[in-house]
Amino acid sequence: MQTTRLCQIFAVVVVLSLIGASRAQGQAPESGGIEAPSSYLEAVEGPESGPGVAVEVDSAEAQAAQAKSSRTDRKVAKNVDEIVVYARKRAELLENTPVSVTALSEETLRVTGTTRLDQIQNLVPNLSIFRGISGQTLSVNVRGVGNFPTIYFDQGVGVYVDGVYLSRNQGSVLDIVDVQQIEVLRGPQGTLFGKNTLGGAINITTIKPKDELEGFFLMRAGSYGQIDTRATLNVPIIKDVLAARATFATFKNSGYVYNETRDEYLSDRNSLNFLGSLRFTPTDTVTLDITGNWSKSQSRPQGAKCTYIPPENITPGFEAVIDSIDATVTDAGGTFPDDYRESCNASTPFRVRNDARQLAISESAGTWGVLSWDVGDLSVVEDLVLSLRSSWREQYPANRLDGDGGAFPVSIVDNLGGGPFVETLAGPNAGSSVNLGGDTGFQRQIQQELQVNGSAWDGRLNFVGGAFAFWEKAMTTTGLTAFPGGVLGTTPVGLSPSLGITQTDNWDWAIYAQGTADFTDWLSLTAGLRYTEEKKGLHRTLEQPLAIPGINDPLPVDFDGDRIFTDWTPTASLALQTPDEWLDVVNLDHLMGYFTYAKGFRGGGWNGGARTSDVRTIEPFLPETMNSFEWGFKSIFYERRLSLNFAFFLEDRTDQQIPQIITAVVSPVVEVPDVIVSNAAGSTTRGFEIETQGQPIDGMLFDASVGYLDGKFDDFPGTQNARTGEPLNRAGERFTFLPQWQAHIGVQYSVELPDVDQPRWLQGWVTPRIDWTYQGDTQYWAVELPELLQPAYNLVNFRLSYDFNDNFSQIAFFANNLLDSEYFRDSLAIGPRLTLAVLKYYDPPRWFGVEVSHRF
């Protein structure tokens, strides 16, 4: 029923758009000499009518490609954004690229209120992004492929900033600061972008310095003490030779989840960001861009809504866990199960009872440079461009989290490093503390890439190739305080206070090449291949200073391992451009159909999160591979006012990497829960994406999308029931964490204020905008946990802006989550067999605010 209703809504919107387009005259409204809002100008100005191109192209290569695009330049819409993307590591018009891509411009990000990377999931079909329980990690999922944010488990979707690969995203949900464009590439990108792009890639481009003095200032105030600021200054230092650009931004609110137990607010935001860049152009053919960024965030993690899982549903054998919870609750002055259950179930989405003193801190810094040399024509090669990209980046995340979500000290997860690990223990050990002397986590990466772009055959052959090298080291400390009331007596083996230390030492290198040949004006063929070799090294230990031999024996964990993995990732694509004479017959301005095959792989590795030496925890998991087949078309029509893109995909995954809870064998008579990654499953995924945008009537901008995803395990033996621990095979089950349906519609309409004798600088435009997002049912972790089923929900955001002072100033009012929908996007489910609880972390409720900005 929900699916039918969703399709009906989308069909009605498209039909109304087409009716509006058939009546439109194709002319921009008269403005009385007052400049229209920038978002409207971007839609109505084509390449021949001014600077309103949706994406500013920085390199000479990109500008040339835009000017030379032969098939759509003549017919491209004045009223449809002419978007340049780098999905194939060269500048191309979006409508000519045989890849499923969504491009979000700076203006789109601003008018939709997108200030954090995870928020783009409301705008892109078949994309889901999770922030993790600390609120500062990043887990991206495209077309059913994603990751858990750990240093030993590779991403399934690559994230890039100016071509720099962000290998680990612990401790940093990227704030969007001075971003020019975000491209979301769906489907394997293993040929050009390399490993860990199994599901796709997110390519973020920052704004580069310009040869003009300009600046921008923004302040935003809203609910829950929100105060955001941003200031940008662009300075030409030596005309046409050297320019600099710097941006400072802060994001702050006091939190929207109240913690009754500690009388504080959780789920807050408090970050400071700096992004600076230099552009040096000593000659007309050489450009050097150097960029650096620093950010720090210190906040309280997401507040956890707790749901109690009755112990009678737990497999016999875990009585010691229940006894330990009982002892801990009793020592804290409560009763089990009554008080423990009540403290858990009494929590609501925005009013919780977390006992732990929680904290999430992250600091990130990095610098990268791109040296580009436009060689020009060289023998049979035309437009040859050489570029060298170098980067360095470090992160330092630390957090302390409530592991059970209730008002009793049952479980605390801590990776703050040094300092008292166990601050106070209940019962006979009250007041004692243990300093394990650990360090906070860190991650360091270095990247080098040499790239060659060019063409031949009078521009009918375009190619890109290169060599890539990458090094990274990372370390994380994971402390666990479990059941302090039973430390000396009833705490199960392996669950006394402990500190797990995981260190990784990895490198990889690759060479790649891809070419596109235009055999005729309507037929082109693309083929590419990449070879990758990677080394994965891991060291893992576990310290348990309070474990007592014979009572709660310590677990012997001291593991070292390294292994080399290799893979070849090819791609091939066939694109068919409809001849102009055919377009005239069917009243289309542009139509391209394509078929693409691509292979991707995710790197293998070791189980760095395991807490035992069970034989399954010391074996490496193998790389995961995917073969993807995609059919689609891209079109522009109705007097160049509308675009419509469609893609259908079929994906086959082998050796699929799945994190799972196991019952680890410690000794012939002792078993404890543990978490590993294994190659236990293969799966098949099919689905489609529809995207449309344009200007159905003068002054109106419209965009919409629908994504459908059907991913199921073909075979998944050897797993365990998350509630009971019993063995099962998940063959035929749908993927968890993913909605089957997603949709988005955004509409805005610009109206010029009438001239009523006000000063010229007050004359301007009013633009209301509304965005509707639909997310279908989403099951988290496992189907046997109906407590973690998020029903389908609707999310509506509203914005009303007033552009004045010749479009240099703006005041805007916004209302996010206007329907006040309650929905969670993160959860924790290790608890059913350890803490008798599952946790849910909710996104913000209704949120109002005002934004003021000025540019010069």
Side-chain angles (χ1 to χ4, degrees):
M1 187 68 176
Q2 290 174 338
T3 300
T4 303
R5 187 174 303 157
L6 176 64
C7 294
Q8 291 173 343
I9 292 173
F10 186 76
V12 168
V13 172
V14 172
V15 169
L16 290 175
S17 301
L18 298 181
I19 293 174
S22 65
R23 296 178 178 177
Q25 301 299 315
Q27 302 292 328
E30 296 294 331
S31 64
I34 305 301
E35 186 177 359
S38 57
S39 56
Y40 179 71
L41 287 176
E42 286 181 356
V44 301
E45 291 182 348
E48 298 177 355
S49 60
V53 180
V55 176
E56 289 186 19
V57 182
D58 288 315
S59 68
E61 170 211 354
Q63 293 173 355
Q66 182 176 342
K68 290 166 54 179
S69 296
S70 58
R71 281 186 280 272
T72 61
D73 273 354
R74 181 171 61 84
K75 289 180 171 288
V76 73
K78 288 191 302 180
N79 304 310
V80 173
D81 286 346
E82 182 176 315
I83 300 175
V84 177
V85 296
Y86 292 83
R88 299 197 291 180
K89 290 205 171 183
R90 56 188 174 91
E92 298 178 285
L93 292 178
L94 173 64
E95 299 302 319
N96 281 341
T97 307
V99 177
S100 183
V101 184
T102 298
L104 305 173
S105 68
E106 179 193 19
E107 182 66 22
T108 298
L109 297 172
R110 182 183 176 190
V111 299
T112 56
T114 304
T115 61
R116 266 194 338 251
L117 186 60
D118 62 296
Q119 294 171 334
I120 69 172
Q121 65 183 327
N122 295 327
L123 309 175
V124 180
N126 287 333
L127 170 67
S128 298
I129 302 179
F130 311 99
R131 290 188 290 140
I133 60 178
S134 71
Q136 295 183 346
T137 57
L138 194 70
S139 180
V140 184
N141 195 302
V142 174
R143 289 182 175 177
V145 182
N147 74 301
F148 285 79
T150 64
I151 67 171
Y152 60 87
F153 187 30
D154 284 346
Q155 301 181 70
V157 177
V159 179
Y160 300 80
V161 177
D162 291 336
V164 175
Y165 175 51
L166 306 185
S167 60
R168 309 293 164 192
N169 291 317
Q170 289 71 37
S172 179
V173 172
L174 297 178
D175 292 322
I176 294 178
V177 176
D178 217 21
V179 168
Q180 175 177 287
Q181 178 165 286
I182 298 178
E183 300 171 26
V184 180
L185 287 60
R186 293 180 288 270
Q189 307 296 320
T191 300
L192 292 181
F193 288 88
K195 68 168 188 172
N196 304 336
T197 56
L198 204 68
I202 296 179
N203 194 21
I204 303 170
T205 304
T206 61
I207 300 176
K208 300 302 183 294
K210 308 170 186 177
D211 284 320
E212 297 178 1
L213 178 63
E214 61 180 33
F216 177 81
F217 176 78
L218 175 145
M219 177 172 286
R220 184 184 298 114
S223 305
Y224 302 97
Q226 178 188 14
I227 296 290
D228 299 342
T229 64
R230 174 186 156 190
T232 299
L233 182 63
N234 188 98
V235 179
I237 300 173
I238 303 176
K239 184 174 175 58
D240 299 326
V241 176
L242 183 64
R245 186 179 182 93
T247 296
F248 293 88
T250 64
F251 301 91
K252 183 177 178 60
N253 65 67
S254 58
Y256 57 88
V257 176
Y258 178 65
N259 184 11
E260 295 180 348
T261 304
R262 298 188 59 85
D263 187 24
E264 64 183 1
Y265 279 88
L266 305 175
S267 302
D268 65 328
R269 188 178 184 187
N270 182 18
S271 68
L272 175 64
N273 300 266
F274 168 76
L275 178 69
S277 55
L278 288 171
R279 166 160 286 187
F280 179 49
T281 52
T283 71
D284 292 339
T285 60
V286 176
T287 301
L288 174 63
D289 286 313
I290 300 177
T291 306
N293 80 313
W294 174 86
S295 65
K296 184 172 184 178
S297 175
Q298 181 168 329
S299 62
R300 293 176 294 275
Q302 299 191 79
K305 181 189 182 303
C306 180
T307 301
Y308 182 71
I309 303 294
E312 56 265 28
N313 292 328
I314 305 296
T315 298
F318 282 83
E319 292 86 356
V321 172
I322 298 175
D323 292 342
S324 295
I325 297 175
D326 190 347
T328 299
V329 174
T330 300
D331 287 347
T335 61
F336 179 83
D338 294 342
D339 287 346
Y340 184 65
R341 178 180 59 240
E342 192 275 336
S343 78
C344 181
N345 289 342
S347 62
T348 65
F350 307 115
R351 198 173 185 89
V352 300
R353 296 186 177 184
N354 302 169
D355 71 286
R357 180 174 58 86
Q358 302 184 83
L359 186 67
I361 304 172
S362 69
E363 186 171 359
S364 301
T367 183
W368 57 95
V370 181
L371 178 62
S372 179
W373 178 25
D374 188 351
V375 180
D377 297 343
L378 184 65
S379 185
V380 297
V381 177
E382 307 161 3
D383 302 321
L384 182 65
V385 177
L386 304 178
S387 61
L388 176 64
R389 178 174 285 103
S390 302
S391 71
W392 162 88
R393 187 171 186 260
E394 285 190 355
Q395 290 177 290
Y396 293 89
N399 57 66
R400 191 173 192 265
L401 307 169
D402 192 313
D404 61 275
F408 295 95
V410 170
S411 173
I412 296 174
V413 181
D414 188 333
N415 71 350
L416 294 176
F421 173 60
V422 183
E423 293 184 346
T424 15
L425 297 175
N429 289 312
S432 65
S433 66
V434 178
N435 189 334
L436 296 182
D439 295 320
T440 57
F442 84 95
Q443 186 270 333
R444 180 183 299 117
Q445 68 175 62
I446 298 174
Q447 174 183 323
Q448 297 285 331
E449 183 174 11
L450 176 65
Q451 184 175 307
V452 180
N453 288 75
S455 62
W457 195 15
D458 293 329
R460 290 186 172 274
L461 175 64
N462 292 277
F463 62 86
V464 58
F468 175 89
F470 183 85
W471 301 264
E472 71 166 346
K473 288 187 177 182
M475 186 271 289
T476 186
T477 60
T478 303
L480 174 64
T481 306
F483 319 127
V487 165
L488 294 181
T490 60
T491 298
V493 62
L495 292 178
S496 64
S498 62
L499 182 69
I501 301 175
T502 302
Q503 297 173 302
T504 62
D505 188 354
N506 308 325
W507 55 256
D508 67 86
W509 66 272
I511 54 174
Y512 62 91
Q514 180 169 301
T516 300
D518 296 333
F519 292 105
T520 69
D521 289 341
W522 54 271
L523 173 65
S524 65
L525 177 66
T526 299
L529 183 65
R530 186 186 190 104
Y531 173 77
T532 300
E533 181 173 297
E534 66 166 356
K535 174 253 186 180
K536 291 293 184 64
L538 181 133
H539 174 68
R540 171 168 56 90
T541 61
L542 185 70
E543 301 176 22
Q544 295 176 286
L546 297 185
I548 301 176
I551 299 179
N552 51 357
D553 297 286
L555 300 181
V557 179
D558 190 354
F559 173 77
D560 280 285
D562 62 78
R563 184 161 177 175
I564 291 179
F565 304 98
T566 62
D567 208 342
W568 294 86
T569 47
T571 188
S573 181
L574 181 69
L576 301 172
Q577 297 275 1
T578 305
D580 289 347
E581 55 271 21
W582 295 10
L583 292 175
D584 294 336
V585 173
V586 295
N587 196 27
L588 289 174
D589 300 296
H590 169 71
L591 177 63
M592 181 194 73
Y594 66 92
F595 168 79
T596 297
Y597 161 78
K599 179 185 177 183
F601 89 102
R602 190 207 311 254
W606 304 90
N607 282 295
R611 295 174 49 83
T612 68
S613 292
D614 182 290
V615 65
R616 289 166 293 179
T617 71
I618 60 176
E619 292 294 325
F621 52 89
L622 301 178
E624 175 183 351
T625 60
M626 172 190 284
N627 289 299
S628 172
F629 306 88
E630 182 177 316
W631 300 265
F633 68 81
K634 299 185 176 183
S635 63
I636 299 174
F637 55 99
Y638 275 93
E639 297 182 359
R640 309 180 182 123
R641 287 179 170 266
L642 290 174
S643 68
L644 179 64
N645 299 336
F646 172 84
F648 171 82
F649 57 90
L650 177 66
E651 298 174 337
D652 178 49
R653 295 165 69 176
T654 305
D655 289 327
Q656 185 170 343
Q657 299 171 1
I658 301 291
Q660 57 180 302
I661 301 174
I662 65 169
T663 301
V665 178
V666 178
S667 71
V669 294
V670 177
E671 297 180 348
V672 299
D674 209 346
V675 180
I676 65 170
V677 177
S678 64
N679 298 100
S683 64
T684 301
T685 306
R686 59 179 59 85
F688 63 81
E689 293 114 11
I690 304 174
E691 294 182 284
T692 180
Q693 65 172 327
Q695 184 198 355
I697 60 176
D698 293 334
M700 176 181 287
L701 299 181
F702 158 83
D703 63 275
S705 64
V706 169
Y708 171 76
L709 181 69
D710 180 25
K712 294 180 179 179
F713 295 113
D714 299 328
D715 192 30
F716 195 172
T719 64
Q720 293 185 359
N721 186 299
R723 185 183 291 269
T724 67
E726 296 175 347
L728 58 82
N729 189 328
R730 297 193 183 277
E733 285 189 13
R734 276 182 50 197
F735 292 165
T736 54
F737 296 93
L738 302 172
Q740 194 168 34
W741 286 96
Q742 291 176 293
H744 170 257
I745 295 177
V747 181
Q748 67 182 63
Y749 186 77
S750 295
V751 179
E752 185 183 2
L753 292 179
D755 185 358
V756 288
D757 297 327
Q758 74 270 36
R760 175 182 170 82
W761 68 273
L762 283 177
Q763 299 177 34
W765 296 70
V766 173
T767 304
R769 178 183 176 92
I770 190 165
D771 286 273
W772 167 75
T773 299
Y774 172 86
Q775 298 278 340
D777 293 348
T778 305
Q779 174 66 59
Y780 288 78
W781 293 94
V783 295
E784 59 268 22
L785 296 173
E787 298 88 351
L788 293 181
L789 174 65
Q790 170 59 56
Y793 63 90
N794 297 282
L795 185 63
V796 176
N797 294 340
F798 175 76
R799 176 185 171 93
L800 178 66
S801 62
Y802 167 43
D803 292 85
F804 61 101
N805 192 21
D806 284 337
N807 198 31
F808 285 101
S809 303
Q810 184 187 87
I811 299 175
F813 165 80
F814 62 88
N816 295 336
N817 192 5
L818 198 59
L819 301 180
D820 206 20
S821 300
E822 293 184 355
Y823 60 96
F824 65 93
R825 276 181 169 161
D826 289 287
S827 61
L828 185 63
I830 298 176
R833 301 174 64 203
L834 287 178
T835 64
L836 307 182
V838 293
L839 308 182
K840 294 182 281 190
Y841 304 89
Y842 281 76
D843 269 14
R846 185 185 294 119
W847 197 296
F848 298 98
V850 177
E851 176 183 295
V852 179
S853 62
H854 177 73
R855 64 182 176 90
F856 62 87

